[in-house]
Amino acid sequence: MFGNYTIVGVLRYTQGQPVYRALHNVLGHIAAYHIVPVSDAGATAWIRRYMRILGTLEGPGIPVLYDADEPDVELLLAVEHMAALSVRSLVSS
């Protein structure tokens, strides 16, 4: 369990780090949950930019930012899980 979220699976990998499917323990929504160790400078820079961008945008096709935190050891980010076809699956079909 991480904060208010329980990891229930892995969705994909981004910047070499897993993106988890996580369940909010109180509200019950499913989120795409990123856990990035601060020791990974490239992934940390990427996730911090992603946090700032999602925090300022809203609209169709843009995932809702549910939660973001920067404890000492890792950065945590929970965003709306948008179940959609990937570009790879569209091209292959």
Side-chain angles (χ1 to χ4, degrees):
M1 189 162 86
F2 292 91
N4 287 321
Y5 289 88
T6 299
I7 305 299
V8 294
V10 176
L11 293 170
R12 63 185 175 280
Y13 285 80
T14 301
Q15 295 291 309
Q17 300 294 328
V19 178
Y20 298 99
R21 179 180 172 89
L23 174 67
H24 192 281
N25 300 320
V26 177
L27 303 176
H29 64 253
I30 294 291
Y33 200 75
H34 302 255
I35 303 170
V36 177
V38 295
S39 60
D40 186 337
T44 299
W46 176 85
I47 203 78
R48 283 188 174 132
R49 281 192 311 272
Y50 190 49
M51 286 175 174
R52 284 192 302 273
I53 290 168
L54 281 182
T56 62
L57 298 176
E58 61 181 59
I62 298 172
V64 174
L65 175 61
Y66 290 143
D67 196 9
D69 196 11
E70 291 193 38
D72 295 335
V73 179
E74 56 205 4
L75 282 73
L76 307 171
L77 175 67
V79 298
E80 177 183 17
H81 172 56
M82 300 179 77
L85 293 174
S86 68
V87 173
R88 177 178 290 146
S89 66
L90 288 172
V91 170
S92 65
S93 66

